[in-house]
Amino acid sequence: MSVGFELQQTDNGLALVWLDEPRFQPLIIDFHKGKSAYRAQHSALKSEAIARAVGITGKRQPSVIDATAGLARDAMVMAGFGCQVLLIERQPYVRALLNDALARAQAKSDAIGEAAKRLNLLDVSSINEVEHNAADVVYLDPMYPKTGKRKAQVKKDMQMFQQLVGSDLDADDLLQPALSVARYRVVVKRPNSAPFLNGNEPNQQLTSKKHRFDIYINQGFDK
Ligand SMILES: C[S@@+](CC[C@H](N)C(=O)[O-])C[C@H]1O[C@@H](n2cnc3c(N)ncnc32)[C@H](O)[C@@H]1O
């Protein structure tokens, strides 16, 4: 149960409704719409910091476990570059929205539908339930508490999402299991001002305007 929220079936797909805030539009994940649809189809490897952080090249598409899947926007970008991405999400309403969105997207045979077919939602709620060396890369993007100016800038659908999932205050616990599951590397997306996950300094960093990717390397890619 998620207090104050309800899932409703609509003509456009399963929708999350914020009962206390009726001025907010219901949230539906639609991989065919919005910025991430565009990014999944048109992004160039060089211009997507996430692709460089994960180690995607023209010849290499690492398998990825996205252990904090959320709305799977980042996962869709990685799948758009050809990666097989296994998704883990612990919030039951978000899992339901993802399942519904994946089924709708995978039913289409266009480029987004083909990318969506490379996304699979795992039937577990934690990276702790995944075997050692199960993927080339583990990707983490836990929620980080938003404050002050940044809070005001957050878009309405994200405000609703943040209210539902909370602040992921146990995020530090993700790093060690992620390092055990990743053959090559763990990539952590963080706001630029956030401390390192679990206080662990990464081997490499890539920064962009809004956030950075901290890269923890178990071993270099074979090729
Ligand atoms: C910031 S969102 C991820 C957004 C995602 N990268 C995207 O592009 O849409 C974080 C998500 O991770 C989930 N989460 C946080 N900690 C988790 C954990 N330990 N195990 C599984 N899911 C977790 C939260 O419920 C939330 O949906």
Side-chain angles (χ1 to χ4, degrees), residues 39-61:
R39 282 172 72 199
Q41 286 183 98
H42 301 288
S43 286
L45 277 171
K46 268 197 251 164
S47 61
E48 281 289 352
I50 187 173
R52 284 181 284 133
V54 167
I56 303 169
T57 67
K59 289 189 184 148
R60 185 207 302 138
Q61 290 86 32

Side-chain angles (χ1 to χ4, degrees), residues 66-75 88-91 94 125-127 139 141-143 161 165 168 170 174 189:
D66 182 342
T68 55
L71 304 176
R73 292 177 178 175
D74 292 332
I88 300 176
E89 171 55 51
R90 68 178 169 187
Q91 212 296 328
V94 179
S125 58
S126 163
I127 186 81
Y139 180 77
D141 174 23
M143 199 66 91
F161 179 67
V165 303
D168 293 342
D170 57 350
L174 284 162
K189 183 177 175 184

